[in-house]
């Protein structure tokens, strides 16, 4: 062991000492007390270093780790210019002793002087030769002063991170090799301590100009600090250093918090991708990775999605995309900064509601899985957030808003579930400080989702509510679920005298009243009657007849109906199959009388029939079976609230004030028609369906634009979005169209074609201006190719898909194509076309003014 005083010769101390790390240097005798504890550590080196928490024994051979993450932190100041070739040679020699690969050793290099600079990260190269070539090409940085403390903190927060390829959460040893040629001008102690706290093993190599005490402070233990006369002598310690490096033990793998394992969650991260956030984008990624590491990601537990926003929104992956934590982590690490301005947070919130929190993209909202949204904000939104926030909260999304010092505090609180869910950090580098608070919120968030009844949305002082229940034999297994559902709804009504009134009717072939609107004056009597209901049983469903019965005999004034007194009237229809009679006339009659009808159907119900009965298509709810009725609570509640806000009664007979559908644009609508033999046989009705749609709209560059594409195994463009500016010209072309015919169809190919060749600016698409993009797919047979990937690409581009099936169309395939259950139709008979036309017009054109992400990016 060597102790040098003042100007003692460094080379003499190297000869005397057992190894370079045993050199200690002080300026005078009075400073000897400052190294006393380090001397004791060295004298007890075997005892101390046998503990994996402090170091490795020089005398005990440890098992070599198969994986390591190693950062070389190189002094690039002016003082090391002459020794820089030797430094590069040393790094190359160490790398050659490793096995560099994605699943083996990973290497990164950072150079510093006054400030640090990353040359490459752990995940930059996967091949040893690429690493060696890059090291050979390194240029000396130069500059000063030497700020080693800042450099150490930099590698801790920028090099040893999940986003740059660090595997510390997997227990892979994290190793730092510092090559230093001078005393630091800033403090190193706190940065060194933070590295040790993060279980980073640090080795230091210094020259005679280095401060050996400083290096020993930085090193994992003092003996890991090596002293040399100059970097040309670095080869002397190569073998010993490599031996130490290879024996750094694995650390325990990070495990998710058990408190977060007990339930399932759908978690969406909406990241600030604006120009202003670019310098700290990796900090955001690290924060997301830190939260993801605490989750339990698999098919039946936590699901994760990530999106970015600036002036537009962009989804990176949805809730249904990945089923393992490793897949999610890899996807997050690969994220690129979006860029753009200004920040339209309102539009981004609307985007995640329409394109991420949906069953089609993996959301389990309808299964009562908690829906949680993280919004990271760096500045005040350029657009209004209030309406999108309200809509998200209405469907049960819990928002956790995290903003920097530049964000608007009031805006964060408006977005968040409540004030406690609005968190602030100085800047994104401070996001780790918010982690514990976020995990606490994740733990308690599901408790805010206790199921409430949709009827809580009723604000009117009086309402007439009738439940029309499928009492047929086929619904017997779901009857108890229906009974419980309407009991829960009734519990939340004001069923005292002269307030809300309820009636219940069952139907099959005929209709039977359980009780009328005026049968009971008190809530307890209503609830008791619902609880004691018995299933009607019966064969066949005559729903049309049942609707007429309710209109004439249940909403009638003689049995308590108060339509003439302007009391709002609501009908809830439960159906488990297709009606044997026609429902269209009775449904229209109910609408004329101002009755707001909601339909709830199982998988055996007819979607088109249910939508036709509903007051609007959005008033139809689909469940796999009646046992899943609780899953529609939040959606039904939101719709009821919207009806309360937008519907009024103005006439003496109670006719509702209904806003007429605005059939003016703007909208871009593309028809994609299969040209199979079956479709060719119905050419007249098919083309007439398109013509009828066009006849109802205003065509033009400022209104609706239409394109018509047909396909079989290949695709043919009849006309593009910007081909016709006048309706008459468009209709004339449609009058001369002939379907191609063909034995087979490749729908996947056709979907990709329209995305790449029709929904483009050159073909007339106005997506970049925020104009809604809609694709109507009409097919009569199953595709010969896969449609799933093509559909996803269209949806990712913000294009809303409507599927219409005929003949031998595969129902599952058409469900995949459709944007949601409300945009899927099936034509059983030619007479169904007019109904579908009206539904499409309502659905497509009601989307005017919504924000869609840019297409063709």
């Amino acid at each position: 062991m060597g102790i040098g005083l003042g100007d003692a010769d460094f080379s003499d101390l190297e000869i005397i000492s057992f190894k370079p790390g045993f050199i200690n240097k002080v300026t005078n005798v009075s400073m000897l007390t400052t190294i006393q504890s380090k001397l004791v550590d060295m004298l007890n080196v075997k005892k101390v270093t046998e503990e994996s928490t402090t170091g490795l024994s020089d005398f005990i051979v440890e098992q070599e780790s198969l994986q390591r993450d190693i950062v070389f932190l190189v002094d690039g100041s002016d003082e090391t210019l002459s020794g820089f070739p030797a430094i590069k040679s040393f790094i190359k020699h160490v790398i050659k002793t490793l096995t560099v690969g994605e699943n083996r050793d990973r290497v990164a290099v950072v150079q510093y002087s006054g400030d640090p600079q990353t040359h490459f990260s752990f995940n930059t190269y996967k091949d040893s030769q690429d690493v060696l070539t890059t090291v050979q090409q390194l240029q000396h940085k130069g500059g000063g002063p030497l700020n080693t403390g800042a450099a150490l903190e930099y590698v801790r927060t920028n090099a040893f991170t999940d986003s740059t390829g660090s595997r510390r959460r997997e227990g892979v040893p994290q190793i730092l090799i510092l090559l230093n040629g001078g005393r630091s001008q800033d403090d190193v102690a706190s940065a060194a301590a933070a590295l040790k706290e993060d279980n980073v093993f640090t080795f230091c190599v210094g020259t005679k100009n280095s401060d050996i005490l400083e290096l020993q402070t930085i090193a994992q233990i003092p003996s890991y600090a090596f002293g040399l006369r100059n970097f040309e002598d670095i080869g002397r310690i190569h073998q010993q250093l490599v031996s130490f490096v290879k024996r750094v033990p694995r650390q325990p793998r990070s495990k998710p918090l058990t408190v977060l394992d007990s339930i399932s969650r759908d978690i969406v991260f909406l990241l600030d991708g604006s120009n202003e956030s670019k310098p700290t984008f990796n900090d955001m990624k690290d924060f997301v990775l830190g939260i993801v590491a605490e989750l339990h990601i698999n098919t039946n537990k936590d699901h994760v999605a990530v999106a970015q926003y600036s002036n537009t929104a962009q989804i990176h992956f949805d809730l249904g995309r990945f089923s393992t934590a490793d897949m999610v982590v890899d996807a997050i690490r690969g994220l690129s900064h979006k860029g753009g301005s200004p920040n339209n947070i309102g539009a981004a919130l609307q985007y995640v509601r329409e394109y991420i929190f949906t069953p089609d993209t993996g959301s389990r909202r309808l299964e009562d899985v908690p829906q949680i949204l993280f919004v990271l904000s760096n500045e005040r939104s350029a657009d209004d957030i209030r309406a999108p926030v309200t809509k998200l909260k209405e469907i049960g999304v819990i928002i956790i808003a995290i903003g920097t010092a530049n964000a608007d505090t009031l805006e964060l609180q408006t977005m968040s579930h409540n004030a406690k869910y609005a968190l602030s950090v100085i800047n994104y580098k401070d996001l780790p400080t918010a982690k514990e608070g976020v995990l606490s919120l994740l733990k308690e968030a599901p408790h805010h989702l206790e199921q409430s009844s949709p009827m809580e949305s009723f604000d009117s002082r009086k309402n007439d509510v009738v439940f029309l229940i499928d009492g047929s034999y086929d619904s017997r297994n779901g009857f108890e679920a229906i009974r419980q559902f309407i009991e829960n709804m009734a519990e939340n009504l004001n069923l005292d005298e002269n307030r809300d009134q309820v009636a219940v009717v069952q139907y099959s072939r005929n209709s039977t009243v359980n009780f009328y609107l005026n049968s009971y004056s008190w809530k307890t009597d209503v609830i008791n009657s619902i609880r004691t209901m018995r299933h009607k049983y019966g064969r066949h469903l005559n729903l049309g007849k049942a609707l007429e019965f309710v209109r004439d005999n249940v909403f009638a004034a003689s049995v308590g109906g108060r339509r003439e007194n302007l009391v709002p009237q609501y009908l809830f229809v439960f159906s488990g199959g297709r009606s044997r009679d026609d429902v269209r006339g009775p449904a229209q009659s109910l609408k004329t009388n101002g009755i707001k009808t909601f339909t709830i159907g199982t998988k055996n119900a007819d979607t088109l029939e249910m939508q036709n009965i509903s007051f609007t298509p959005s008033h139809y709810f689909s469940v796999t079976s009646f046992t899943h009725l609780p899953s529609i609570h939040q959606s039904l509640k939101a719709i009821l609230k919207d009806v309360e806000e937008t519907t009024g009664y103005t006439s003496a007979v109670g006719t509702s004030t209904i806003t007429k559908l605005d059939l003016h644009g703007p909208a871009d609508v593309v028809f994609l028609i299969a040209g199979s033999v079956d479709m060719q046989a119905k050419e007249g009705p098919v083309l007439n369906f398109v013509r009828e749609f066009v006849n109802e709209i205003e065509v033009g560059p400022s209104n609706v634009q239409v394109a018509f594409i047909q396909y079989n195994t290949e695709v043919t463009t009849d006309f593009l979005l910007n081909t016709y500016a006048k309706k008459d010209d468009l209709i004339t072309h449609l009058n001369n169209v002939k379907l191609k015919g063909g034995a087979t169809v490749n729908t996947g190919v056709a979907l990709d074609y329209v995305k790449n060749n029709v929904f483009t600016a050159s073909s007339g698409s106005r997506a970049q201006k925020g104009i809604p993009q809609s694709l109507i797919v009409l097919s009569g047979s199953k595709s010969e190719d896969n449609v799933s990937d093509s559909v996803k690409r269209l949806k990712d581009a913000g294009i809303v898909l409507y599927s219409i099936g005929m003949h031998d169309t595969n129902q599952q395939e058409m469900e995949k194509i459709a944007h949601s259950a409300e945009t899927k139709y099936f034509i059983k008979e030619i007479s169904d076309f007019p109904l579908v036309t009206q539904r499409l017009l309502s659905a497509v054109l009601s989307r005017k003014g919504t924000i869609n992400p840019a297409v063709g990016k």
Side-chain angles (χ1 to χ4, degrees):
M1 184 178 298
I3 302 174
L5 300 177
D7 299 325
D9 192 305
F10 216 73
S11 58
D12 292 339
L13 292 177
E14 289 182 31
I15 296 170
I16 296 169
S17 298
F18 172 72
K19 61 175 184 175
F22 280 23
I23 299 173
N24 292 271
K25 184 178 179 181
V26 293
T27 55
N28 54 60
V29 174
S30 64
M31 296 295 291
L32 285 171
T33 55
T34 64
I35 64 170
Q36 183 177 8
S37 62
K38 291 185 174 62
L39 293 176
V40 172
D41 283 342
M42 292 179 185
L43 290 171
N44 291 280
V45 65
K46 180 173 181 179
K47 176 182 176 182
V48 173
T49 58
E50 284 176 350
E51 300 178 13
S52 62
T53 56
T54 55
L56 306 173
S57 172
D58 293 333
F59 312 108
I60 298 175
V61 176
E62 304 283 341
Q63 183 178 2
E64 182 179 331
S65 174
L66 298 177
Q67 295 176 313
R68 289 164 289 263
D69 293 339
I70 303 174
V71 175
F72 291 92
L73 179 58
V74 179
D75 179 348
S77 66
D78 294 337
E79 298 299 321
T80 62
L81 177 61
S82 61
F84 197 67
I87 292 174
K88 293 200 299 183
S89 178
F90 172 77
I91 295 174
K92 287 165 59 179
H93 275 91
V94 173
I95 291 171
K96 287 178 181 178
T97 66
L98 306 174
T99 305
V100 175
E102 185 175 9
N103 297 316
R104 295 297 297 271
D105 296 319
R106 295 181 181 179
V107 176
V109 173
V110 177
Q111 194 179 168
Y112 78 102
S113 52
D115 58 319
Q117 172 189 352
T118 298
H119 288 291
F120 57 88
S121 302
F122 292 135
N123 54 9
T124 304
Y125 301 117
K126 299 177 182 179
D127 180 78
S128 177
Q129 189 55 51
D130 292 335
V131 174
L132 291 171
T133 300
T134 305
V135 171
Q136 181 60 41
Q137 295 172 349
L138 290 181
Q139 299 297 313
H140 187 256
K141 182 179 185 298
L146 191 64
N147 292 323
T148 306
L152 293 172
E153 181 63 18
Y154 176 85
V155 296
R156 186 180 75 85
T157 57
N158 291 274
F160 290 110
T161 62
D162 296 334
S163 60
T164 55
S166 167
R167 296 166 291 177
R168 61 190 177 90
R169 297 185 186 280
E170 302 169 26
V172 173
Q174 307 292 286
I175 299 168
L176 173 63
I177 299 175
L178 170 64
L179 303 169
N180 171 268
R183 180 182 177 85
S184 178
Q185 297 301 303
D186 63 355
D187 178 57
V188 302
S190 59
L195 282 165
K196 292 172 184 176
E197 183 71 21
D198 287 353
N199 289 322
V200 175
F201 278 70
T202 304
F203 299 87
C204 300
V205 179
T207 67
K208 64 181 180 181
N209 294 324
S210 301
D211 185 318
I212 192 65
L213 291 179
E214 183 176 85
L215 296 185
Q216 289 172 340
T217 299
I218 296 169
Q220 185 73 19
I221 58 174
S223 61
Y224 286 1
F226 298 85
L228 306 169
R229 175 182 291 277
N230 52 54
F231 283 121
E232 282 73 12
D233 295 334
I234 202 168
R236 295 180 51 230
I237 65 165
H238 169 263
Q239 187 173 355
Q240 187 177 19
L241 178 61
V242 169
S243 177
F244 283 169
V245 165
K246 287 191 173 184
R247 286 185 279 136
V248 173
R250 288 186 65 87
Q251 299 297 313
R253 178 185 290 266
S254 296
K255 296 181 179 179
L257 297 182
T258 55
V259 296
L260 297 182
D261 281 350
S262 58
I263 63 168
S264 304
R265 287 164 294 257
D266 288 342
I267 302 175
V268 178
F269 294 92
L270 181 59
L271 308 182
D272 181 348
S274 65
N275 294 337
E276 295 296 322
S277 70
K278 186 174 183 179
T280 52
F281 187 64
N282 281 338
D283 297 315
M284 277 188 276
K285 288 166 60 174
D286 286 339
F287 168 74
V288 176
L289 288 166
I291 300 301
V292 166
E294 307 293 350
L295 302 177
H296 193 171
I297 297 174
N298 64 38
T299 303
N300 298 317
K301 286 290 186 177
D302 295 320
H303 291 183
V304 173
V306 175
Q308 263 189 88
Y309 72 94
S310 53
N311 55 327
T312 60
Q314 172 187 352
I315 185 171
H316 291 291
F317 56 89
D318 59 36
L319 291 164
R321 182 72 176 275
F322 300 124
S323 58
T324 69
D326 288 343
M327 295 167 72
V328 171
V329 167
D330 287 343
I332 294 171
R333 286 174 175 169
L335 293 182
S336 298
H337 185 255
K338 179 182 184 299
S341 65
N343 264 1
N344 291 327
I345 301 177
L349 294 172
Q350 183 174 333
Y351 174 82
V352 298
R353 176 177 172 268
E354 293 185 354
Y355 297 101
I356 300 181
F357 287 114
T358 66
D360 293 1
T361 53
S363 168
R364 296 167 292 173
R365 176 168 58 88
L366 300 184
E367 302 170 29
D368 289 335
V369 173
Q371 309 289 289
I372 300 170
L373 172 64
F374 285 92
V375 182
L376 273 64
S377 169
N378 189 47
E379 59 184 339
R380 182 180 177 84
S381 178
D383 62 355
D384 187 29
I385 67 165
R386 290 171 295 181
V389 166
T390 299
K391 293 295 184 183
L392 280 166
K393 291 180 179 180
E394 284 175 353
I395 64 172
V397 176
I398 292 178
I399 303 176
I400 300 173
I402 305 174
T404 66
N406 295 326
D408 187 287
T409 302
L410 181 59
E411 189 172 77
L412 294 177
Q413 293 175 343
T414 300
M415 274 191 281
S416 61
H417 180 69
N418 59 44
K420 186 170 71 171
Y421 285 67
L423 308 176
S424 294
V425 293
I426 297 175
N427 54 55
Y428 286 138
K429 286 187 176 296
D430 292 327
L431 281 172
T433 63
K435 181 179 176 181
E436 291 305 315
V438 166
L439 293 177
S440 176
L441 294 176
L442 278 176
K443 180 182 176 182
E444 73 171 51
H447 300 296
H448 294 286
L449 297 176
E450 295 179 359
Q451 202 58 263
S452 60
S453 170
M455 289 305 186
E456 293 176 4
S457 293
F458 276 133
D459 296 324
S460 299
R461 290 182 58 83
K462 301 177 183 179
N463 299 283
D464 288 345
V465 182
V466 176
F467 297 99
L468 180 58
I469 302 171
D470 182 347
S472 70
Y473 185 80
D474 291 337
S475 70
R476 66 193 185 283
N477 293 330
F479 183 75
E480 178 59 20
I482 298 174
R483 192 200 61 71
Q484 289 180 353
F485 185 77
I486 65 174
E487 178 186 336
N488 180 258
M489 295 177 78
E491 283 278 12
N492 287 276
L493 289 171
N494 298 312
L495 293 176
D496 295 329
E497 191 172 9
N498 202 33
R499 296 292 295 275
D500 295 329
Q501 296 183 156
V502 170
V504 176
V505 181
Q506 290 189 58
Y507 72 100
S508 53
R509 184 191 301 273
N510 298 305
S511 300
T512 301
V513 178
N514 286 85
F515 56 89
Y516 291 99
L517 290 167
N518 63 355
S519 292
Y520 303 112
S521 299
W522 307 105
K523 175 182 285 191
T524 53
D525 296 329
V526 172
I527 298 301
N528 286 334
S529 184
I530 293 174
R531 286 174 178 170
T532 57
M533 283 194 316
R534 295 292 180 265
H535 188 242
K536 170 179 165 56
Y537 286 102
R539 296 289 182 181
H540 308 309
L541 284 179
N542 289 330
L543 183 48
K545 187 176 179 180
L547 295 174
E548 288 180 340
F549 179 86
V550 167
R551 180 196 65 198
D552 297 335
N553 300 283
V554 184
F555 281 113
S558 60
V559 290
R562 297 171 289 179
R563 181 161 56 94
E564 293 185 358
N565 296 327
L566 307 185
V567 174
Q569 296 188 313
Y570 298 88
L571 173 62
F572 292 86
V573 179
F574 298 80
S575 176
R578 182 179 174 90
S579 179
R580 292 297 185 93
D581 60 357
D582 186 29
V583 302
R584 290 173 291 184
Q588 184 57 46
S589 177
L590 288 168
K591 294 172 187 176
T592 302
N593 287 344
I595 297 169
K596 305 299 176 296
T597 303
F598 296 80
T599 57
I600 303 163
T602 67
K603 63 182 179 180
N604 295 324
D606 186 284
T607 299
L608 183 61
E609 185 174 83
M610 292 288 95
Q611 289 178 330
N612 188 49
I613 296 170
S614 301
F615 188 67
T616 73
S618 65
H619 292 180
Y620 165 58
F621 300 87
S622 177
V623 291
T624 306
S625 68
F626 287 127
T627 56
H628 291 161
L629 282 171
S631 68
I632 69 170
H633 269 102
Q634 292 297 329
S635 298
L636 181 54
K637 186 176 180 179
I639 292 292
L640 282 170
K641 182 175 181 180
D642 189 54
V643 169
E644 280 279 303
E645 292 173 349
T646 59
T647 304
Y649 287 75
T650 58
S651 70
V653 295
T655 303
S656 63
T657 303
I658 305 173
T659 302
K660 187 180 184 298
L661 180 64
D662 180 6
L663 300 180
H664 297 273
D668 290 343
V669 181
V670 176
F671 286 91
L672 180 61
I673 311 296
S676 62
V677 172
D678 288 337
M679 294 289 287
Q680 197 175 38
K682 297 289 191 290
E683 181 180 84
V686 168
L687 294 176
N688 189 57
F689 157 72
V690 180
R691 285 191 289 266
E692 286 299 316
F693 183 97
V694 172
N695 276 325
E696 294 292 331
I697 61 178
E698 292 296 328
V699 174
S702 299
N703 291 303
V704 182
Q705 295 185 153
V706 177
F708 187 93
I709 315 294
Q710 56 173 306
Y711 71 99
N712 42 40
T713 54
E714 298 179 347
V715 185
T716 300
T717 299
D718 279 271
F719 53 86
L720 296 170
L721 292 165
N722 56 3
T723 302
Y724 295 115
K726 295 181 179 180
K727 182 189 297 187
D728 290 344
D729 296 335
L730 200 157
I731 293 293
T732 298
H733 191 134
L734 286 172
N735 287 336
N736 293 295
V737 166
K738 298 294 181 184
L739 293 185
K740 299 174 61 170
T744 60
V745 295
N746 289 332
T747 306
V749 169
L751 292 171
D752 280 332
Y753 177 88
V754 295
K755 178 187 180 296
N756 298 326
N757 298 281
V758 183
F759 285 109
T760 62
S762 60
S763 296
S765 168
R766 297 168 292 174
Q768 299 287 354
K769 299 178 182 179
I771 306 301
Q773 309 288 289
S774 299
L775 174 62
I776 300 170
V777 182
L778 181 56
S779 178
S781 57
K782 188 178 186 303
S783 177
E784 293 296 312
D785 61 357
N786 184 272
V787 303
S788 299
D789 292 341
S790 304
V791 167
K792 185 180 186 308
R793 285 188 283 270
L794 283 160
K795 290 181 178 178
D796 286 350
I799 298 163
V800 179
L801 289 88
Y802 302 82
S803 66
I804 306 172
M806 296 177 64
H807 307 300
D808 296 325
T809 305
N810 183 276
Q811 289 269 24
Q812 187 177 8
E813 183 174 275
M814 299 310 286
E815 288 175 0
K816 286 182 181 179
I817 294 174
H819 179 73
S820 66
E822 289 75 27
T823 66
K824 172 178 66 69
Y825 310 89
F826 191 77
I827 304 290
K828 288 184 170 66
E829 299 178 12
I830 298 303
S831 59
D832 288 338
F833 267 121
L835 295 175
V836 174
T837 302
Q838 291 304 311
R839 296 302 178 199
L840 271 174
L841 284 166
S842 176
V844 173
L845 297 178
S846 65
R847 297 188 59 80
K848 300 196 310 295
T850 60
I851 303 297
N852 285 280
V855 177
K857 279 191 143 186

